[in-house]
Amino acid sequence: THTHTHTRCFSTLFLSIAFKNKRMSELTPTQLKEARSVFAHFDADKDNYLTLKEADDALESLGLMVQGLEKYTKSNGKISLERFLRAAAKGHRTTKLDRKVLRAAFSNWDSANTGTINPKEIKHLIMQGGLPYGITEEEVQQMIEFADKDGDGQISWNELTQLLMNV
């Protein structure tokens, strides 16, 4: 849906930039066990593969976000357990423990120290994040309008955290 697209776009943008140095390098035995269990749970047809949507949902349930998940697919367009585990190891943690990191990143993005992120700052973030798609000024404005609950044309800390809680 349109709402889900805007939420995913914002979450990818903000989380990938904020947590770019907070990647997991390898899974602990406990995380490995949990990831295997989650994989089995989301493998709806029990064919030992996940669709991209299933894999994305599974990783999200683990508190992880993986940008470019499609690169882990096999020729059948699905993700095997082995590739799922590799993706999980590369994922960004999105737990509440990282709220301090996100708060610090938000403060850095708010270059004018206004307590909000404006359209110019959003565009700068997109360029800084090196996202693999071009984005127009109109799309930036649509993203802001979607997240901007008070209608002031900017994204506040509260609006950003509200948005990310809905991811």
Side-chain angles (χ1 to χ4, degrees), residues 36-51 54 78-79:
R36 284 186 170 138
S37 174
V38 167
F39 181 94
H41 174 76
F42 280 88
D43 183 12
D45 59 6
K46 305 301 179 205
D47 67 350
N48 294 317
Y49 289 96
L50 298 180
T51 64
E54 290 169 341
K78 293 186 174 187
I79 298 174

Side-chain angles (χ1 to χ4, degrees), residues 59-72:
L59 289 164
E60 188 175 321
S61 79
L62 289 167
L64 298 172
M65 180 175 201
V66 176
Q67 195 170 1
L69 187 57
E70 57 280 344
K71 71 183 175 190
Y72 293 95

Side-chain angles (χ1 to χ4, degrees), residues 25-146:
S25 58
E26 59 184 61
L27 299 175
T28 66
T30 301
Q31 290 169 326
L32 188 60
K33 183 178 178 181
E34 184 180 7
R36 284 186 170 138
S37 174
V38 167
F39 181 94
H41 174 76
F42 280 88
D43 183 12
D45 59 6
K46 305 301 179 205
D47 67 350
N48 294 317
Y49 289 96
L50 298 180
T51 64
L52 274 175
K53 169 126 179 56
E54 290 169 341
D56 188 47
D57 291 345
L59 289 164
E60 188 175 321
S61 79
L62 289 167
L64 298 172
M65 180 175 201
V66 176
Q67 195 170 1
L69 187 57
E70 57 280 344
K71 71 183 175 190
Y72 293 95
T73 60
K74 294 182 90 83
S75 59
N76 63 1
K78 293 186 174 187
I79 298 174
S80 66
L81 174 61
E82 178 186 335
R83 290 180 183 212
F84 176 79
L85 295 175
R86 266 193 262 145
K90 299 279 186 200
H92 298 284
R93 294 179 182 273
T94 59
T95 64
K96 291 179 182 167
L97 296 175
D98 289 327
R99 191 174 176 91
K100 288 182 197 174
V101 175
L102 184 58
R103 183 62 164 156
F106 182 88
S107 294
N108 286 333
W109 301 333
D110 177 18
S111 59
N113 290 325
T114 61
T116 61
I117 304 172
N118 63 42
K120 182 179 175 184
E121 291 164 329
I122 297 279
K123 185 71 172 179
H124 176 75
L125 288 173
I126 291 167
M127 294 171 75
Q128 175 188 352
L131 297 180
Y133 53 84
I135 189 163
T136 66
E137 297 292 331
E138 182 180 327
E139 289 168 324
V140 170
Q141 192 57 44
Q142 287 174 351
M143 288 170 58
I144 290 171
E145 287 170 7
F146 172 73

